[in-house]
Coordinates of all heavy atoms in Angstrom, one line a residue:
M16 N 0.8 -1.2 0.0 CA 0.0 0.0 0.0 C 0.9 1.2 0.0 O 1.7 1.4 0.9 CB -0.9 0.0 1.3 CG -2.2 0.7 1.0 SD -3.2 0.5 2.5 CE -3.4 2.2 3.0
S17 N 0.6 2.1 -0.9 CA 1.4 3.3 -1.0 C 0.9 4.3 0.0 O -0.2 4.4 0.4 CB 1.4 3.9 -2.4 OG 0.1 4.3 -2.7
K18 N 1.9 5.1 0.5 CA 1.6 6.1 1.5 C 0.8 7.3 0.8 O 1.1 7.8 -0.2 CB 2.9 6.6 2.0 CG 2.7 7.4 3.4 CD 4.0 7.8 4.0 CE 3.8 8.7 5.1 NZ 4.7 9.8 5.3
Q19 N -0.2 7.7 1.5 CA -1.0 8.8 1.0 C -0.4 10.1 1.4 O 0.2 10.2 2.4 CB -2.5 8.7 1.5 CG -3.1 7.4 1.4 CD -4.6 7.5 1.7 OE1 -5.5 7.6 0.9 NE2 -4.8 7.4 3.0
S20 N -0.7 11.1 0.5 CA -0.2 12.4 0.9 C -1.2 13.2 1.5 O -2.4 12.9 1.4 CB 0.4 13.1 -0.4 OG -0.7 13.1 -1.4
E21 N -0.8 14.2 2.2 CA -1.8 15.2 2.7 C -2.2 16.1 1.6 O -1.4 16.6 0.9 CB -1.1 15.9 3.9 CG -1.9 17.0 4.5 CD -1.2 17.6 5.7 OE1 -1.1 16.8 6.7 OE2 -0.8 18.7 5.7
I22 N -3.5 16.4 1.6 CA -4.0 17.3 0.6 C -4.8 18.5 1.2 O -5.5 18.2 2.2 CB -4.8 16.7 -0.5 CG1 -6.0 15.8 0.1 CG2 -3.9 15.8 -1.4 CD1 -6.9 15.2 -1.0
K23 N -4.7 19.6 0.6 CA -5.4 20.8 1.0 C -6.8 20.6 0.3 O -6.9 20.4 -0.8 CB -4.8 22.0 0.6 CG -5.4 23.3 1.2 CD -4.5 24.5 0.9 CE -5.3 25.8 1.3 NZ -4.5 27.0 1.0
I24 N -7.9 20.9 1.1 CA -9.2 20.8 0.5 C -10.0 22.1 0.8 O -9.6 22.8 1.7 CB -10.1 19.6 1.0 CG1 -10.2 19.6 2.5 CG2 -9.4 18.2 0.6 CD1 -11.2 18.6 3.1
N25 N -10.9 22.4 -0.1 CA -11.8 23.6 0.2 C -13.0 23.2 0.9 O -13.3 22.1 1.3 CB -12.0 24.2 -1.1 CG -12.8 23.4 -2.1 OD1 -13.7 22.6 -1.7 ND2 -12.6 23.5 -3.4
Q26 N -13.8 24.3 1.3 CA -15.0 24.1 2.1 C -16.0 23.2 1.4 O -16.7 22.4 2.1 CB -15.6 25.5 2.4 CG -14.7 26.4 3.1 CD -14.8 26.2 4.6 OE1 -15.7 25.5 5.1 NE2 -14.0 27.0 5.4
F27 N -16.1 23.3 0.1 CA -17.1 22.5 -0.7 C -16.7 21.0 -0.6 O -17.5 20.2 -0.4 CB -17.0 23.0 -2.2 CG -17.9 22.1 -3.0 CD1 -19.3 22.2 -2.9 CD2 -17.3 21.3 -4.0 CE1 -20.1 21.4 -3.8 CE2 -18.2 20.5 -4.8 CZ -19.5 20.5 -4.7
Q28 N -15.4 20.7 -0.7 CA -14.9 19.3 -0.6 C -15.1 18.8 0.8 O -15.5 17.6 1.0 CB -13.5 19.2 -1.1 CG -13.3 19.4 -2.5 CD -11.9 19.8 -3.0 OE1 -11.1 20.4 -2.1 NE2 -11.5 19.6 -4.2
L29 N -14.9 19.7 1.8 CA -15.1 19.3 3.1 C -16.6 18.9 3.4 O -16.9 17.9 4.0 CB -14.7 20.4 4.1 CG -15.0 20.2 5.6 CD1 -14.1 19.1 6.1 CD2 -14.8 21.5 6.3
A30 N -17.5 19.7 2.9 CA -18.9 19.5 3.0 C -19.3 18.1 2.4 O -20.2 17.4 2.9 CB -19.7 20.6 2.3
L31 N -18.6 17.8 1.3 CA -19.0 16.5 0.7 C -18.5 15.3 1.6 O -19.1 14.2 1.5 CB -18.2 16.3 -0.7 CG -18.7 17.1 -1.9 CD1 -17.7 16.9 -3.0 CD2 -20.1 16.7 -2.2
L32 N -17.5 15.5 2.3 CA -16.9 14.4 3.2 C -17.7 14.2 4.4 O -17.8 13.1 4.9 CB -15.5 14.7 3.6 CG -14.4 14.6 2.5 CD1 -13.1 15.1 3.0 CD2 -14.3 13.2 1.9
L33 N -18.3 15.3 4.9 CA -19.0 15.1 6.2 C -20.5 14.8 6.1 O -21.2 15.4 5.3 CB -18.9 16.5 7.0 CG -17.5 17.0 7.3 CD1 -17.6 18.3 8.0 CD2 -16.7 15.9 8.0
D34 N -21.0 13.8 6.8 CA -22.4 13.6 6.8 C -23.0 14.5 7.9 O -22.3 15.3 8.5 CB -22.8 12.1 7.0 CG -22.5 11.6 8.3 OD1 -22.2 12.4 9.2 OD2 -22.5 10.4 8.5
E35 N -24.4 14.4 8.1 CA -25.0 15.3 9.0 C -24.5 15.3 10.4 O -24.2 16.4 10.9 CB -26.5 15.0 9.0 CG -27.3 16.2 9.2 CD -28.8 15.9 9.0 OE1 -29.1 15.3 8.0 OE2 -29.6 16.3 9.8
S36 N -24.2 14.2 11.0 CA -23.7 14.1 12.4 C -22.3 14.6 12.5 O -21.9 15.3 13.4 CB -23.9 12.7 12.9 OG -23.1 11.8 12.3
D37 N -21.5 14.3 11.4 CA -20.1 14.8 11.3 C -20.1 16.3 11.3 O -19.3 16.9 12.0 CB -19.4 14.3 10.1 CG -19.0 12.8 10.2 OD1 -19.0 12.2 11.3 OD2 -18.8 12.2 9.1
R38 N -21.0 16.8 10.5 CA -21.1 18.2 10.3 C -21.5 19.0 11.6 O -20.9 20.0 11.9 CB -22.1 18.5 9.2 CG -22.0 19.9 8.6 CD -22.3 19.9 7.1 NE -23.4 19.1 6.7 CZ -23.4 18.3 5.6 NH1 -22.4 18.1 4.9 NH2 -24.5 17.5 5.4
D39 N -22.5 18.4 12.3 CA -22.9 19.0 13.6 C -21.7 19.0 14.6 O -21.4 20.0 15.2 CB -24.0 18.2 14.2 CG -25.3 18.4 13.5 OD1 -25.4 19.4 12.6 OD2 -26.3 17.7 13.6
F40 N -21.1 17.8 14.7 CA -19.9 17.8 15.6 C -18.8 18.7 15.1 O -18.2 19.4 16.0 CB -19.4 16.3 15.5 CG -18.0 16.1 16.2 CD1 -18.0 16.1 17.6 CD2 -16.9 15.8 15.5 CE1 -16.8 16.0 18.2 CE2 -15.7 15.7 16.1 CZ -15.6 15.7 17.5
F41 N -18.5 18.8 13.9 CA -17.5 19.7 13.3 C -17.8 21.2 13.7 O -17.0 21.9 14.2 CB -17.4 19.5 11.8 CG -16.4 20.4 11.2 CD1 -15.0 19.9 11.2 CD2 -16.7 21.6 10.6 CE1 -14.0 20.7 10.5 CE2 -15.7 22.3 9.9 CZ -14.4 22.0 9.9
K42 N -19.1 21.6 13.4 CA -19.5 23.0 13.6 C -19.4 23.3 15.1 O -18.9 24.4 15.5 CB -20.9 23.1 13.1 CG -21.0 23.6 11.7 CD -22.4 23.9 11.4 CE -22.6 24.1 9.9 NZ -24.0 24.1 9.5
C43 N -19.9 22.4 15.9 CA -19.9 22.6 17.3 C -18.5 22.7 17.9 O -18.2 23.6 18.7 CB -20.7 21.4 18.0 SG -20.9 21.7 19.7
S44 N -17.5 21.9 17.4 CA -16.2 21.9 17.9 C -15.5 23.2 17.4 O -14.8 23.8 18.2 CB -15.4 20.7 17.3 OG -15.9 19.5 17.7
I45 N -15.8 23.6 16.2 CA -15.1 24.9 15.7 C -15.6 26.1 16.6 O -14.9 27.0 16.8 CB -15.5 25.1 14.2 CG1 -14.8 24.1 13.4 CG2 -15.1 26.5 13.7 CD1 -13.2 24.2 13.4
S46 N -16.9 26.0 17.0 CA -17.4 27.2 17.7 C -17.1 27.1 19.1 O -17.0 28.2 19.8 CB -19.0 27.1 17.7 OG -19.4 27.2 16.3
H47 N -16.9 25.9 19.7 CA -16.8 25.9 21.2 C -15.6 25.1 21.8 O -15.3 25.1 22.9 CB -18.0 25.2 21.8 CG -19.3 25.9 21.4 ND1 -19.6 27.1 21.8 CD2 -20.3 25.4 20.6 CE1 -20.8 27.4 21.3 NE2 -21.2 26.5 20.5
N48 N -14.8 24.5 20.9 CA -13.9 23.5 21.4 C -12.5 23.5 20.7 O -12.0 22.4 20.4 CB -14.5 22.1 21.4 CG -13.8 21.1 22.4 OD1 -13.0 21.6 23.2 ND2 -14.0 19.9 22.2
V49 N -12.1 24.6 20.3 CA -10.7 24.8 19.8 C -9.9 25.6 20.8 O -10.2 26.7 21.2 CB -10.7 25.5 18.4 CG1 -9.3 25.6 17.9 CG2 -11.6 24.8 17.4
Y50 N -8.7 24.9 21.2 CA -7.9 25.6 22.2 C -7.0 26.7 21.5 O -6.4 26.5 20.5 CB -7.0 24.5 22.9 CG -6.3 25.2 24.1 CD1 -6.9 25.3 25.3 CD2 -5.0 25.5 24.0 CE1 -6.4 25.8 26.4 CE2 -4.3 26.0 25.1 CZ -5.0 26.2 26.3 OH -4.4 26.8 27.3
C51 N -7.0 27.9 22.1 CA -6.1 28.9 21.6 C -5.0 29.1 22.6 O -5.2 29.4 23.8 CB -6.9 30.2 21.5 SG -5.9 31.6 21.0
L52 N -3.8 29.0 22.1 CA -2.6 29.0 23.0 C -2.4 30.5 23.5 O -2.0 30.7 24.7 CB -1.3 28.7 22.2 CG -1.1 27.2 22.0 CD1 0.1 27.1 21.1 CD2 -0.8 26.5 23.3
N53 N -2.8 31.4 22.7 CA -2.6 32.9 23.0 C -3.6 33.3 24.2 O -3.2 33.9 25.1 CB -2.9 33.6 21.7 CG -2.2 35.0 21.8 OD1 -1.2 35.2 22.4 ND2 -2.8 36.0 21.1
C54 N -4.8 32.7 24.1 CA -5.8 33.0 25.1 C -5.6 32.1 26.3 O -6.3 32.4 27.3 CB -7.2 32.9 24.6 SG -7.7 34.1 23.3
S55 N -4.8 31.1 26.1 CA -4.7 30.0 27.1 C -6.1 29.5 27.6 O -6.4 29.3 28.8 CB -4.0 30.6 28.5 OG -2.7 30.9 28.2
D56 N -6.9 29.4 26.6 CA -8.3 29.0 26.9 C -8.9 28.4 25.5 O -8.3 28.6 24.5 CB -9.1 30.2 27.4 CG -10.4 29.7 28.0 OD1 -10.8 28.5 28.1 OD2 -11.0 30.6 28.7
V57 N -10.1 27.9 25.6 CA -10.8 27.6 24.3 C -11.1 29.0 23.6 O -11.4 29.9 24.4 CB -12.0 26.8 24.5 CG1 -11.7 25.3 24.9 CG2 -13.0 27.4 25.4
A58 N -11.1 29.0 22.3 CA -11.5 30.2 21.6 C -13.0 30.3 21.8 O -13.8 29.8 21.0 CB -11.2 30.1 20.1
K59 N -13.5 31.2 22.7 CA -14.8 31.2 23.2 C -15.8 31.8 22.1 O -16.9 31.4 22.2 CB -15.0 32.0 24.5 CG -14.5 31.2 25.7 CD -14.8 32.0 26.9 CE -14.2 31.3 28.1 NZ -13.3 32.1 28.9
K60 N -15.3 32.6 21.3 CA -16.1 33.2 20.2 C -16.0 32.4 18.9 O -16.4 32.8 17.8 CB -15.8 34.6 20.0 CG -16.1 35.6 21.2 CD -16.0 37.0 20.8 CE -16.5 37.8 22.0 NZ -16.2 39.3 21.7
G61 N -15.3 31.3 19.0 CA -15.1 30.4 17.8 C -13.9 30.9 17.0 O -13.2 31.7 17.4
V62 N -13.7 30.2 15.8 CA -12.5 30.5 15.0 C -13.0 30.8 13.6 O -14.0 30.2 13.1 CB -11.6 29.4 15.1 CG1 -11.1 29.1 16.4 CG2 -12.1 28.1 14.4
D63 N -12.2 31.6 12.8 CA -12.4 31.7 11.4 C -11.5 30.7 10.7 O -10.3 30.7 11.0 CB -12.0 33.1 10.9 CG -13.0 34.1 11.3 OD1 -14.2 33.8 11.2 OD2 -12.6 35.2 11.7
I64 N -12.1 29.8 9.9 CA -11.3 28.7 9.3 C -10.5 29.4 8.1 O -11.1 30.1 7.3 CB -12.2 27.6 8.8 CG1 -12.8 26.9 10.0 CG2 -11.4 26.6 8.0 CD1 -13.9 25.9 9.6
T65 N -9.2 29.1 8.1 CA -8.4 29.6 7.0 C -8.0 28.5 6.0 O -8.0 28.7 4.8 CB -7.1 30.3 7.5 OG1 -6.4 29.4 8.4 CG2 -7.5 31.6 8.3
E66 N -7.7 27.3 6.5 CA -7.2 26.2 5.7 C -7.8 24.9 6.3 O -7.8 24.8 7.5 CB -5.7 26.2 5.5 CG -5.2 27.3 4.7 CD -3.6 27.3 4.8 OE1 -3.0 26.8 5.7 OE2 -3.1 27.8 3.8
V67 N -8.1 24.0 5.4 CA -8.5 22.7 5.8 C -7.7 21.6 5.0 O -7.5 21.7 3.8 CB -10.0 22.4 5.5 CG1 -10.4 21.1 6.1 CG2 -10.8 23.5 6.1
Y68 N -7.1 20.6 5.7 CA -6.3 19.6 5.1 C -6.9 18.2 5.4 O -7.4 18.0 6.4 CB -4.9 19.6 5.6 CG -4.2 20.7 5.3 CD1 -4.2 21.9 6.1 CD2 -3.4 20.8 4.1 CE1 -3.4 23.0 5.7 CE2 -2.7 21.9 3.7 CZ -2.7 23.1 4.5 OH -2.0 24.2 4.2
L69 N -6.9 17.3 4.3 CA -7.1 15.9 4.5 C -5.8 15.3 4.8 O -4.9 15.3 3.9 CB -7.9 15.3 3.3 CG -8.2 13.9 3.4 CD1 -9.2 13.6 4.4 CD2 -8.8 13.4 2.0
T70 N -5.5 14.7 5.9 CA -4.2 14.2 6.3 C -3.9 12.9 5.7 O -4.8 12.2 5.1 CB -4.0 14.1 7.8 OG1 -4.7 13.0 8.3 CG2 -4.5 15.4 8.6
E71 N -2.7 12.4 5.8 CA -2.3 11.1 5.2 C -3.1 10.0 5.9 O -3.3 8.9 5.3 CB -0.8 10.8 5.4 CG -0.3 10.9 6.9 CD 1.1 10.7 7.0 OE1 1.7 9.9 6.3 OE2 1.7 11.4 7.9
H72 N -3.7 10.2 7.1 CA -4.4 9.2 7.8 C -6.0 9.4 7.5 O -6.8 8.8 8.3 CB -4.2 9.2 9.2 CG -2.8 9.0 9.6 ND1 -2.1 7.8 9.3 CD2 -1.8 9.8 10.2 CE1 -0.8 7.9 9.7 NE2 -0.6 9.1 10.2
N73 N -6.3 10.3 6.6 CA -7.7 10.6 6.3 C -8.4 11.3 7.5 O -9.6 11.1 7.7 CB -8.5 9.4 5.8 CG -8.3 9.1 4.3 OD1 -7.7 9.9 3.6 ND2 -8.7 7.9 3.9
D74 N -7.6 12.0 8.3 CA -8.2 12.8 9.3 C -8.4 14.3 8.7 O -7.7 14.5 7.6 CB -7.3 12.9 10.6 CG -7.3 11.6 11.3 OD1 -8.3 10.9 11.3 OD2 -6.3 11.2 11.9
I75 N -9.1 15.1 9.4 CA -9.3 16.5 8.9 C -8.5 17.4 9.9 O -8.7 17.4 11.0 CB -10.7 16.8 8.9 CG1 -11.5 16.1 7.8 CG2 -10.9 18.4 8.6 CD1 -11.2 16.4 6.4
R76 N -7.6 18.2 9.3 CA -6.9 19.2 10.2 C -7.3 20.6 9.7 O -7.2 20.9 8.6 CB -5.4 19.0 10.1 CG -4.7 19.8 11.3 CD -3.3 19.6 11.3 NE -2.6 20.2 10.2 CZ -2.0 19.7 9.2 NH1 -1.8 18.3 9.2 NH2 -1.5 20.4 8.3
V77 N -7.8 21.3 10.7 CA -8.3 22.7 10.4 C -7.3 23.7 11.0 O -6.9 23.6 12.1 CB -9.7 22.9 11.0 CG1 -10.2 24.4 10.8 CG2 -10.7 21.9 10.5
H78 N -7.0 24.7 10.1 CA -6.2 25.8 10.5 C -7.1 27.0 10.6 O -7.9 27.2 9.6 CB -5.0 26.1 9.6 CG -4.0 25.0 9.6 ND1 -2.7 25.2 9.3 CD2 -4.1 23.7 9.7 CE1 -2.1 24.1 9.3 NE2 -2.9 23.1 9.5
G79 N -7.0 27.8 11.6 CA -7.8 29.0 11.6 C -7.3 30.1 12.6 O -6.1 30.0 13.0
R80 N -8.2 31.1 12.8 CA -7.8 32.2 13.6 C -8.8 32.4 14.7 O -10.0 32.4 14.5 CB -7.6 33.5 12.9 CG -6.4 33.5 12.0 CD -6.0 34.8 11.4 NE -4.8 34.7 10.7 CZ -3.5 34.8 11.3 NH1 -3.5 35.0 12.6 NH2 -2.5 34.8 10.6
C81 N -8.4 32.5 16.0 CA -9.2 32.8 17.1 C -9.9 34.1 16.9 O -9.3 35.1 16.5 CB -8.4 32.8 18.3 SG -9.2 33.4 19.8
K82 N -11.3 34.1 17.1 CA -12.0 35.3 16.8 C -11.8 36.4 17.9 O -12.2 37.5 17.7 CB -13.5 35.0 16.7 CG -13.8 34.4 15.4 CD -15.4 34.3 15.2 CE -15.7 33.6 13.9 NZ -17.1 33.3 13.7
I83 N -11.2 36.0 19.0 CA -11.0 36.9 20.1 C -9.6 37.7 19.9 O -9.6 38.9 19.8 CB -11.0 36.3 21.5 CG1 -12.4 35.7 21.8 CG2 -10.6 37.2 22.6 CD1 -12.5 34.9 23.0
C84 N -8.5 36.9 19.7 CA -7.3 37.5 19.6 C -6.6 37.5 18.3 O -5.5 38.0 18.0 CB -6.3 36.8 20.7 SG -5.9 35.1 20.1
N85 N -7.3 36.8 17.3 CA -6.7 36.6 16.0 C -5.5 35.7 15.9 O -4.8 35.7 14.9 CB -6.4 38.0 15.3 CG -6.6 37.9 13.8 OD1 -7.4 37.2 13.3 ND2 -5.8 38.7 13.0
G86 N -5.2 35.0 17.0 CA -4.1 34.1 17.0 C -4.3 32.8 16.2 O -5.5 32.5 16.0
E87 N -3.3 32.2 15.7 CA -3.5 31.0 15.0 C -3.8 29.8 15.7 O -3.2 29.6 16.9 CB -2.1 30.6 14.2 CG -2.0 31.6 12.9 CD -0.7 31.2 12.1 OE1 -0.5 30.0 12.1 OE2 -0.1 32.1 11.6
V88 N -4.8 29.0 15.3 CA -5.2 27.8 16.1 C -5.3 26.7 15.1 O -5.4 26.9 13.9 CB -6.6 28.0 16.7 CG1 -6.5 29.1 17.8 CG2 -7.7 28.4 15.7
R89 N -5.2 25.5 15.6 CA -5.4 24.2 14.8 C -6.2 23.2 15.6 O -6.2 23.2 16.8 CB -4.0 23.6 14.7 CG -3.1 24.3 13.7 CD -1.9 23.6 13.5 NE -1.0 24.3 12.6 CZ 0.0 23.7 12.0 NH1 0.4 22.4 12.2 NH2 0.8 24.4 11.2
R90 N -6.9 22.4 14.9 CA -7.7 21.4 15.5 C -7.6 20.2 14.5 O -7.9 20.3 13.3 CB -9.1 21.8 15.7 CG -10.1 20.8 16.3 CD -9.9 20.8 17.8 NE -11.1 20.3 18.5 CZ -11.7 19.0 18.4 NH1 -11.1 18.1 17.7 NH2 -12.7 18.8 19.2
L91 N -7.4 19.0 15.1 CA -7.4 17.7 14.3 C -8.7 17.0 14.6 O -9.1 16.8 15.8 CB -6.2 16.9 14.7 CG -6.1 15.6 13.8 CD1 -5.7 15.9 12.4 CD2 -5.2 14.7 14.5
F92 N -9.4 16.6 13.5 CA -10.6 15.8 13.7 C -10.3 14.4 13.2 O -10.0 14.2 12.0 CB -11.7 16.4 12.8 CG -12.2 17.7 13.4 CD1 -11.7 18.9 13.0 CD2 -13.3 17.7 14.3 CE1 -12.1 20.1 13.5 CE2 -13.8 19.0 14.8 CZ -13.1 20.1 14.4
E93 N -10.4 13.4 14.1 CA -10.0 12.1 13.7 C -11.1 11.3 13.1 O -11.5 10.2 13.5 CB -9.4 11.4 15.0 CG -8.1 12.0 15.4 CD -7.6 11.3 16.7 OE1 -8.3 10.7 17.4 OE2 -6.3 11.5 16.8
F94 N -11.6 11.8 11.9 CA -12.6 11.2 11.1 C -12.1 9.9 10.4 O -12.9 9.1 10.0 CB -13.2 12.1 10.1 CG -14.0 13.3 10.7 CD1 -13.8 14.5 10.3 CD2 -15.1 13.0 11.6 CE1 -14.6 15.6 10.8 CE2 -15.8 14.0 12.1 CZ -15.6 15.3 11.7
G95 N -10.8 9.9 10.2 CA -10.2 8.8 9.5 C -10.4 7.4 10.2 O -10.2 6.4 9.6
E96 N -10.8 7.4 11.5 CA -11.1 6.1 12.1 C -12.5 5.6 11.7 O -12.8 4.4 11.9 CB -11.2 6.4 13.6 CG -9.8 6.8 14.2 CD -9.9 7.2 15.7 OE1 -11.0 7.3 16.2 OE2 -8.8 7.4 16.3
E97 N -13.3 6.4 11.1 CA -14.6 5.9 10.6 C -14.5 5.3 9.2 O -14.0 6.1 8.3 CB -15.7 7.0 10.6 CG -15.8 7.6 12.0 CD -16.7 8.9 11.9 OE1 -17.5 9.0 11.0 OE2 -16.6 9.7 12.8
D98 N -15.0 4.1 9.0 CA -14.9 3.5 7.6 C -15.7 4.3 6.6 O -15.3 4.6 5.5 CB -15.6 2.1 7.7 CG -14.7 1.1 8.3 OD1 -13.5 1.4 8.5 OD2 -15.1 0.0 8.7
R99 N -16.8 4.8 7.1 CA -17.7 5.6 6.1 C -17.0 6.8 5.6 O -17.1 7.2 4.4 CB -19.0 6.0 6.9 CG -20.1 6.6 6.1 CD -21.3 6.7 7.0 NE -20.9 6.9 8.5 CZ -20.7 8.1 8.9 NH1 -20.7 9.2 8.2 NH2 -20.3 8.2 10.2
F100 N -16.3 7.5 6.6 CA -15.6 8.7 6.2 C -14.4 8.3 5.3 O -14.1 9.0 4.3 CB -15.1 9.4 7.5 CG -14.4 10.7 7.2 CD1 -15.1 11.8 7.1 CD2 -13.0 10.7 6.9 CE1 -14.5 13.1 6.8 CE2 -12.4 11.9 6.6 CZ -13.2 13.1 6.5
N101 N -13.7 7.3 5.7 CA -12.6 6.8 4.9 C -12.9 6.5 3.4 O -12.2 6.9 2.5 CB -12.0 5.5 5.4 CG -10.7 5.8 6.3 OD1 -9.9 6.5 5.8 ND2 -10.7 5.2 7.4
N102 N -14.1 5.9 3.2 CA -14.6 5.6 1.8 C -14.8 6.9 1.0 O -14.4 7.0 -0.1 CB -15.8 4.8 1.9 CG -15.6 3.4 2.4 OD1 -14.5 2.9 2.3 ND2 -16.7 2.8 2.9
K103 N -15.4 7.8 1.7 CA -15.6 9.2 1.0 C -14.3 9.9 0.7 O -14.2 10.4 -0.3 CB -16.5 10.1 1.9 CG -17.9 9.7 2.0 CD -18.7 10.8 2.6 CE -20.1 10.5 2.9 NZ -20.8 11.5 3.7
A104 N -13.4 9.8 1.7 CA -12.1 10.4 1.5 C -11.3 9.8 0.3 O -10.7 10.4 -0.5 CB -11.2 10.3 2.7
E105 N -11.4 8.5 0.2 CA -10.8 7.8 -1.0 C -11.4 8.2 -2.3 O -10.7 8.4 -3.3 CB -10.9 6.3 -0.8 CG -10.1 5.6 0.4 CD -8.7 6.0 0.4 OE1 -8.1 6.2 -0.7 OE2 -8.1 6.3 1.5
K106 N -12.7 8.4 -2.3 CA -13.4 8.8 -3.6 C -12.9 10.2 -3.9 O -12.6 10.5 -5.1 CB -14.9 8.8 -3.4 CG -15.5 7.5 -3.7 CD -17.1 7.6 -3.7 CE -17.7 6.2 -3.7 NZ -19.1 6.3 -3.2
L107 N -12.8 11.1 -2.9 CA -12.4 12.4 -3.2 C -11.0 12.5 -3.6 O -10.6 13.1 -4.7 CB -12.4 13.3 -1.9 CG -11.9 14.7 -2.0 CD1 -12.8 15.5 -3.0 CD2 -11.8 15.4 -0.6
R108 N -10.1 11.6 -3.1 CA -8.7 11.5 -3.6 C -8.6 11.1 -5.0 O -7.9 11.7 -5.9 CB -7.9 10.5 -2.7 CG -7.5 11.1 -1.4 CD -6.8 10.0 -0.5 NE -6.5 10.5 0.8 CZ -5.5 11.2 1.1 NH1 -4.6 11.6 0.2 NH2 -5.3 11.6 2.4
K109 N -9.4 10.1 -5.4 CA -9.5 9.6 -6.8 C -9.9 10.7 -7.7 O -9.4 10.8 -8.8 CB -10.3 8.4 -6.9 CG -9.6 7.1 -6.4 CD -10.3 5.9 -6.8 CE -9.6 4.7 -6.2 NZ -10.5 3.8 -5.4
S110 N -11.0 11.4 -7.3 CA -11.5 12.4 -8.2 C -10.6 13.5 -8.4 O -10.5 14.1 -9.5 CB -12.9 12.9 -7.7 OG -12.7 13.8 -6.6
L111 N -9.7 13.8 -7.4 CA -8.8 14.9 -7.5 C -7.6 14.4 -8.4 O -7.0 15.2 -9.2 CB -8.2 15.2 -6.2 CG -9.2 16.0 -5.2 CD1 -8.6 16.2 -3.9 CD2 -9.7 17.3 -5.8
Q112 N -7.3 13.1 -8.3 CA -6.2 12.6 -9.2 C -6.6 12.6 -10.7 O -5.8 12.9 -11.5 CB -5.8 11.2 -8.8 CG -4.8 11.2 -7.6 CD -4.8 9.9 -6.9 OE1 -5.3 8.8 -7.5 NE2 -4.0 9.7 -5.8
A113 N -7.9 12.4 -10.9 CA -8.4 12.2 -12.3 C -8.4 13.6 -12.9 O -8.3 13.7 -14.2 CB -9.8 11.7 -12.2
S114 N -8.6 14.7 -12.2 CA -8.7 16.0 -12.8 C -7.4 16.6 -13.2 O -6.4 16.3 -12.7 CB -9.6 16.9 -12.0 OG -8.9 17.1 -10.7
Ligands
ZN223 ZN1 -7.2 33.6 21.2

């Protein structure tokens, strides 16, 4: 099995990967559960997402900015552990390779 590379995805591609419950969890986490090093607390006002990556393990890593201090924040979502998500991620990888 060849090693997969990490790819940058856009919001539209992210939306394709997430089903309804993933999406709720994702939105809730972005709004209430991203730790900001600068604030030494969770980013209580949420974060502005700047970049999203599909990692080599088919997890989702979000880069963003804390809405309070504008500091850079990151959050990893371990969706790659779910078969259903993995299947969608593989399809997305194939469609990106084809284009
Ligand atoms: Zn902050």
